[in-house]
């Protein structure tokens, strides 16, 4: 998990709410959210489930800092024989 890329994912998905609103939903400070967005740290492991729920993403998207759907779609494509 790369802190800078994870920060980009957070900023992208946080557009529907402010840092303060996200912080309130996941019960952390808005300063913590700001640090994560700037790539200066990571959310605590105990916060991850609540964070991804609040952002409407799945954990693998945050951990790998990319849209998981692309990989899932490739895996679900029928094999050509």
């Amino acid at each position: 998990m790369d802190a800078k890329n994870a920060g980009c994912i957070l900023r992208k998905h946080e557009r529907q709410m402010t840092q303060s609103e996200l912080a309130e939903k996941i019960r952390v400070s808005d300063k913590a959210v700001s640090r994560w967005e700037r790539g200066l740290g990571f959310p605590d492991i105990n916060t991850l489930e609540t964070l991804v729920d609040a952002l409407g993403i799945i954990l693998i998207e945050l951990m790998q800092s990319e849209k998981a759907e692309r990989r899932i779609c490739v895996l679900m494509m029928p094999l050509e024989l």
Side-chain angles (χ1 to χ4, degrees):
M1 187 167 146
D2 178 88
K4 294 258 184 219
N5 289 339
C8 289
I9 292 288
L10 286 172
R11 282 190 302 276
K12 178 182 158 202
H13 288 284
E14 191 191 56
R15 289 184 185 146
Q16 300 107 6
M17 65 187 104
T18 65
Q19 288 178 347
S20 295
E21 290 169 337
L22 178 60
E24 186 177 323
K25 279 187 175 189
I26 62 174
R27 298 183 179 158
V28 298
S29 71
D30 56 337
K31 288 179 174 53
V33 173
S34 176
R35 282 192 302 272
W36 304 338
E37 285 185 347
R38 292 180 287 138
L40 301 178
F42 296 104
D44 183 84
I45 194 161
N46 296 318
T47 307
L48 292 178
E49 186 176 359
T50 309
L51 176 61
V52 296
D53 285 345
L55 295 175
I57 60 176
I58 58 175
L59 186 56
I60 192 121
E61 288 178 68
L62 182 62
M63 299 298 288
Q64 295 184 347
S65 305
E66 60 184 58
K67 283 298 247 179
E69 287 95 27
R70 280 183 277 179
R71 193 171 10 273
I72 291 168
C73 288
V74 169
L75 292 173
M76 294 178 68
M77 290 173 63
L79 295 175
E80 293 181 23
L81 300 175

